[in-house]
Amino acid sequence: MNETRRKLLTAAALLSVASAAAAADGPIKIGAVVSTTGPASFLGDPQQKTLEQYVEKINAAGGVLGRKLSLVLYDDASDANKANAFARRLIIQDEVDVIIGASSTGSTMAMVPQIEAAKIPAVSLAAASVIVEPVKPYVFKMPHSDRMAAYKVLEDMKKRGFAQVALLSDTGGFGKSGRNETLKAAEALGMKVAEDQTYGEKDTDMTPQLTRIKSSPAQAILVFGTGQAPAIIARNYQQLAVKQPLYTTHGQASLEFVRIAGKSSEGVRMPSPALLIASALNAEDPQRKVSVEYAKNFETKYKTDVSTFGGYAHDALYLVVDAIKRAGSTDKDKVRAAIESTKGFVGVSGIYSMTPQDHMGLDNTAFRMIEISNGAFKEVR
């Protein structure tokens, strides 16, 4: 019996060593949850395309640490419950090394408890400050925060002499968080929110809210939301001949907004990463090369305009790859620590420097104020 037991233990040990060796030599599994379909597809579709394109590109160049990348990607159909289920599948069934996603704040927050419990590094592609505030050890994010957007917009309004603002925010996770940040920013900047209106993410007519805003003391309007609704608001705004200047946030920093809103988008201002004005950046701008290259590669392959939302996926993937290289392995704690110690990482969305207190790693210099003119984006200087 003792000899049999010894042989079984030896066999088990050898199997364990073999499994570990196989894992070390096998592909690095990148899990992803994005909203390729549903109301948030304008976010998730370019993100899926970008991840697929650049995983292929990295593998063609030899992979990472001598290992290929394997992308395990799920479409949550813009549903937080599905995102939660897919996070569980990625962790338990697929046994991924890191997670990228989700596309929206709601889906990301649904995934966070499982990510933290499993202690797996994750990089969100959603924007709300609540994703990383308070800091969660294993959760990071690429997009500029709603707080940054609120300050960037209100500061531009203030430069134009506007002291009173109308706020029109959606009732989803991004809109709710953005509303709170805008109210706090307005108070800090000595501005007054003269009208505070909301709308549903799937609403198709916001004329009642805009009618009230039109007759209010507000001198400018900020729309805080994602999806197609802000484009509908722009059309309603034009139909009502509203005179107050219209602003949106980086949630609309895409030519898709221009296409849906049409001529109603003319003159709309918003904060944006450098990507949308890549070719107009100065030659010495550290973001110019990576931004121009990404835009060219994406548009050549997919025959469609590049978007800042795909840009966040580009940066997330390369941030993860950089961390794995510096960690020298896919050990989850080492990769997490490497992401947290990232310094001066140049992406299309900004130059990232993470700390234990800051799991976003951007400041307001990563935002450019842009305006839509003749159907194109131009920087406001």
Side-chain angles (χ1 to χ4, degrees):
M1 287 291 291
N2 288 339
E3 179 64 17
T4 301
R5 180 179 176 80
R6 184 187 66 78
K7 289 181 178 180
L8 287 172
L9 289 173
T10 301
L14 289 172
L15 181 61
S16 177
V17 171
S19 297
D25 294 333
I28 296 172
K29 292 185 177 182
I30 308 293
V33 178
V34 296
S35 300
T36 310
T37 59
S41 62
F42 73 101
L43 300 172
D45 178 71
Q47 289 166 356
Q48 175 169 342
K49 286 182 169 67
T50 297
L51 291 172
E52 290 174 343
Q53 179 179 15
Y54 279 87
V55 164
E56 181 180 340
K57 180 180 175 67
I58 290 167
N59 284 339
V64 181
L65 302 180
R67 299 163 62 186
K68 298 291 187 180
L69 299 183
S70 174
L71 179 64
V72 185
L73 185 146
Y74 296 111
D75 169 23
D76 68 11
S78 309
D79 185 323
N81 291 325
K82 289 183 179 179
N84 178 56
F86 286 136
R88 181 176 177 82
R89 182 183 297 182
L90 287 171
I91 294 166
I92 297 174
Q93 180 177 312
D94 300 316
E95 298 182 328
V96 298
D97 296 298
V98 65
I99 293 175
I100 294 175
S103 301
S104 70
T105 298
S107 286
T108 296
M109 295 307 290
M111 293 165 59
V112 164
Q114 294 193 75
I115 288 167
E116 285 295 303
K119 297 184 176 180
I120 182 168
V123 182
S124 175
L125 304 177
S129 299
V130 294
I131 295 169
V132 291
E133 295 179 12
V135 169
K136 303 160 187 69
Y138 287 84
V139 179
F140 303 83
K141 79 180 184 75
M142 302 312 294
H144 312 68
S145 71
D146 42 14
R147 180 179 303 127
M148 291 170 63
Y151 270 94
K152 194 73 174 180
V153 168
L154 294 183
E155 285 169 351
D156 189 73
M157 288 181 178
K158 198 167 184 178
K159 285 179 184 177
R160 298 172 77 180
F162 306 142
Q164 299 194 64
V165 58
L167 176 60
L168 184 52
S169 54
D170 73 37
T171 53
F174 181 65
K176 284 181 179 178
S177 183
R179 174 183 175 275
N180 291 335
E181 295 298 342
T182 302
L183 294 175
K184 289 187 285 187
E187 183 177 2
L189 292 170
M191 300 174 73
K192 180 180 179 181
V193 177
E195 277 293 331
D196 182 8
Q197 298 284 322
T198 61
Y199 64 91
E201 292 178 285
K202 297 181 181 180
D203 287 357
T204 56
D205 181 20
M206 273 64 78
T207 53
Q209 295 96 319
L210 287 169
T211 298
R212 181 164 178 172
I213 288 170
K214 182 179 180 180
S215 60
S216 77
Q219 298 163 295
I221 305 166
L222 170 56
V223 177
F224 224 117
T226 58
Q228 295 187 3
I232 295 171
I233 290 171
R235 293 203 300 264
N236 292 158
Y237 168 92
Q238 185 183 57
Q239 291 161 359
L240 291 170
V242 180
K243 300 300 182 184
Q244 297 103 315
L246 183 63
Y247 288 76
T248 68
T249 69
H250 54 316
Q252 299 304 315
S254 166
L255 281 171
E256 185 67 14
F257 170 77
V258 179
R259 271 194 290 272
I260 298 172
K263 292 183 179 180
S264 304
S265 66
E266 286 293 303
V268 174
R269 288 190 179 188
M270 65 189 71
S272 168
L275 178 61
L276 289 187
I277 51 168
S279 60
L281 296 174
N282 294 326
E284 65 273 14
D285 192 310
Q287 286 188 264
R288 191 182 195 283
K289 182 179 178 181
V290 65
S291 298
V292 169
E293 183 179 287
Y294 169 61
K296 180 181 177 181
N297 289 344
F298 185 92
E299 291 174 354
T300 298
K301 182 176 178 65
Y302 294 111
K303 312 302 180 188
T304 188
D305 296 312
V306 73
S307 85
T308 57
F309 313 121
Y312 294 133
H314 169 279
D315 291 351
L317 179 62
Y318 276 98
L319 182 84
V320 164
V321 166
D322 176 67
I324 291 172
K325 287 179 178 177
R326 287 187 288 112
S329 77
T330 53
D331 178 271
K332 293 176 177 58
D333 286 331
K334 290 181 180 179
V335 173
R336 188 213 72 81
I339 295 175
E340 191 175 75
S341 63
T342 296
K343 294 290 181 290
F345 173 82
V346 180
V348 303
S349 311
I351 300 175
Y352 293 84
S353 290
M354 306 279 187
T355 70
Q357 295 77 37
D358 180 4
H359 279 198
M360 174 180 64
L362 295 174
D363 60 29
N364 258 26
T365 60
F367 258 151
R368 321 289 172 114
M369 182 57 68
I370 61 175
E371 182 176 305
I372 299 169
S373 177
N374 296 320
F377 293 110
K378 294 185 178 180
E379 186 170 7
V380 177
R381 298 184 183 277

